Amino acid sequence: MELMYKSTRSDETVTASQAILKGLASDGGLFVPTALPELKVSVEELSKMSYKETAYAVMKEFLTDFTEEELKSCIDKAYDSKFDTEEIAPLVKADGAYYLELFHGATIAFKDMALSILPHLLTTSAKKNNVKNEIVILTATSGDTGKAALAGFADVPNTRIVVFYPKGGVSPIQEKQMVTQKGSNTFVVGINGNFDQAQSGVKAIFGNKELEKEMDKAGFQFSSANSINIGRLVPQVVYYVYAYAKLYAEGEISKDEKINVVVPTGNFGNILAAYYAKNMGLPINKLICASNDNKVLYDFFTTGTYDKNREFMLTTSPSMDILISSNLERLIYKIAGCDHEKNQELMMLLSKEGRYDITDAMKEELKDFYGNYSTEKETAEVIKSIYDKTGYVIDTHTGVAAEVYKKYVADTNDCTKTIIASTASPFKFTRSVMNAIDSKYDSMGDFELADELSKIANVEIPKAISEIRDAKVLHDTVCEVGEMENVVKKFLGI
Ligand SMILES: *Cc1c(COP(=O)(O)O)cnc(C)c1O
């Protein structure tokens, strides 16, 4: 039977491929599967599968309007030599936990796990729905998503991608990663403005009906690679299933033994994928939600009140510096008993007043979750202590998760075996990581620091870093905020 996708804010219902094409529902809601499918294969069978085979076993349950051939072809194109290990997502045992390394893709952060397959899911969805136009992806980035989207869409037929970033508002390495991007369908533009202006500019272009008509005439249509797209969420369920089966295959856990999962969280996409895996039947005990100083989610899990009215903190784990976790809406909808009116009411409160309270009955439904946070000091200390004890070096986001795991064990004495989602390579946040280990590194340049990290961690410098060292700058367009639309038109030749 076909699995349909429904908006969290109305009765709008579409197929999987339509949900991927649309991204967001017309009413502003997020698409959720009308029922969470069950995992049809046993752990025994899964334990013998490769990453790609696991991806097929999991994703076919969600994307039921894709044929076997279509889905397998998407998976093959995504999880290939762009990853530096055939395992795709290796598990490393260190300091009493299993680190699930989700950073072996093109941009050495976990966004690659989904963004390497999304372009293929999107172009397949376009074909299935008789969309003849070329898909133009528009993205505003504060650093990480832009590069991961560029790497995913580069040279994918029938797509183009335009990324806007705040000139001077991203790290030198992040900028270098983007402006050296290859692929004739890629276009990177710095804007004289901040990230919010870049994002508002992109939203205005998306909302421009005149432009939409003009684009359609010229054979183009816009789409988004945003993290609320169901095509980004579904591929993330895969690695939790894969990791569980691997623990079983290696004799680390027995049949049906429950595990905990810790996820360093920002937009709530990654941890929601783990929750979906649990709902599919994967034996997960607690879902541990780790926050940095922007601890909106910790407060939400402890009090039942979501309140974004607070100071925004800049931390050394910037991909988690978020006050509105957009994917949380999918959980709210579910714990409200899949009541879209109740969800709509809470989301309206969030946009009008910046806060909402959930009911006691909804709070009951959150028992699967545990939330806590790590301060800047604690994150630095845990990176150093794990390195001192084991020689293993983790990045700052993973550091937040490692610290929250320590707090969880101290709070509960729960000794269930635990997977920690390791969301970025330490080479992506070299300066903060090396400073945490020893202040003597502070005076070194970025690439010099990478050399040092390689030495102390005994890990080769990832290609993502070594290849940009001497790479040629291929994108040097800079524009004013007001010129963004014209820049896009010029790139498309309309
Ligand atoms: C995006 C990101 C996160 C947060 O993931 P969400 O799915 O948004 O919760 C954590 N760590 C890193 C390195 C990221 O890039």
Side-chain angles (χ1 to χ4, degrees), residues 122-390:
L122 202 57
T123 48
T124 307
S125 299
K127 259 189 229 138
K128 298 180 76 64
N129 290 279
N130 291 317
V131 171
K132 299 280 187 297
N133 287 336
E134 200 170 315
I135 307 278
V136 181
I137 300 291
L138 270 194
T139 307
T141 185
S142 55
D144 277 348
T145 307
K147 177 62 191 184
L150 282 164
F153 281 92
D155 291 324
V156 173
N158 297 315
T159 71
R160 298 197 194 190
I161 174 162
V162 187
V163 171
F164 291 100
Y165 72 94
K167 184 83 189 159
V170 300
S171 82
I173 290 208
Q174 284 175 324
E175 178 168 36
K176 186 102 194 251
Q177 276 191 308
M178 290 192 278
V179 297
T180 57
Q181 178 65 49
K182 293 181 186 147
S184 58
N185 65 336
T186 67
F187 193 46
V188 181
V189 187
I191 65 152
N192 289 320
N194 60 28
F195 170 64
D196 280 336
Q197 290 170 304
Q199 192 156 41
S200 306
V202 164
K203 274 196 186 148
I205 299 176
F206 272 129
N208 184 335
K209 294 282 175 226
E210 272 306 301
L211 180 63
E212 190 180 321
K213 273 188 226 144
E214 232 178 296
M215 295 263 297
D216 190 49
K217 241 190 246 156
F220 295 111
Q221 73 186 55
F222 287 126
S223 189
S224 141
N226 202 300
S227 88
I228 46 84
N229 194 312
I230 199 81
R232 277 187 63 179
L233 192 57
V234 169
Q236 294 178 0
V237 179
V238 174
Y239 43 76
Y240 291 108
V241 175
Y242 178 71
Y244 184 90
K246 193 121 148 245
L247 285 179
Y248 176 74
E250 288 168 4
E252 299 284 339
I253 53 172
S254 56
K255 198 167 169 291
D256 300 329
E257 182 173 339
K258 286 196 173 178
I259 59 162
N260 291 331
V261 174
V262 191
V263 186
T265 297
N267 235 339
F268 210 75
N270 202 2
I271 195 165
L272 187 74
Y275 178 69
Y276 279 10
K278 179 179 164 87
N279 280 273
M280 288 182 89
L282 196 71
I284 292 176
N285 175 38
K286 282 281 177 195
L287 298 150
I288 299 167
C289 177
S291 302
N292 62 21
D293 279 324
N294 295 291
K295 58 186 182 60
V296 193
L297 289 166
Y298 162 69
D299 292 339
F300 171 69
F301 283 118
T302 42
T303 65
T305 298
Y306 193 95
D307 188 352
K308 77 161 180 87
N309 302 311
R310 61 182 74 205
E311 194 188 338
F312 177 79
M313 315 274 249
L314 285 173
T315 73
T316 51
S317 43
S319 303
M320 297 161 67
D321 290 345
I322 283 175
L323 293 182
I324 299 187
S325 294
S326 21
N327 269 297
L328 185 69
E329 179 169 347
R330 289 189 162 110
L331 180 66
I332 297 295
Y333 169 79
K334 187 153 190 304
I335 62 172
C338 299
D339 177 347
H340 63 246
E341 278 165 18
K342 178 71 191 169
N343 175 64
Q344 166 89 305
E345 177 199 316
L346 298 180
M347 293 308 130
M348 285 302 132
L349 280 170
L350 180 62
S351 83
K352 278 203 200 98
E353 288 161 30
R355 56 170 286 158
Y356 59 83
D357 301 289
I358 59 169
T359 63
D360 287 342
M362 288 168 76
K363 235 179 133 180
E364 270 299 292
E365 298 289 316
L366 291 180
K367 282 204 187 118
D368 293 339
F369 290 89
Y370 168 93
N372 214 323
Y373 70 102
S374 171
T375 64
E376 289 291 277
K377 188 160 168 279
E378 288 168 332
T379 302
E381 280 169 4
V382 82
I383 292 172
K384 180 170 170 55
S385 95
I386 292 175
Y387 170 67
D388 286 345
K389 260 193 264 178
T390 68

Side-chain angles (χ1 to χ4, degrees), residues 51-52 74-88 103-108 112 116 120 151 462-464 467:
Y51 191 87
K52 287 185 190 180
C74 291
I75 291 169
D76 279 340
K77 286 179 196 147
Y79 303 111
D80 61 5
S81 60
K82 289 192 284 301
F83 286 77
D84 67 9
T85 158
E86 247 173 65
E87 285 185 285
I88 306 295
F103 56 73
H104 288 271
T107 75
I108 57 176
D112 292 327
S116 51
H120 306 292
K463 213 172 95 209
E467 74 184 3

Side-chain angles (χ1 to χ4, degrees), residues 99 264 290 374 378-380 382-383 386 394-405 420-421 423:
Y99 287 83
S374 171
E378 288 168 332
T379 302
V382 82
I383 292 172
I386 292 175
I394 57 175
D395 99 292
T396 44
H397 303 75
T398 312
V400 168
E403 173 64 19
V404 166
Y405 176 52
I420 295 179
T423 50

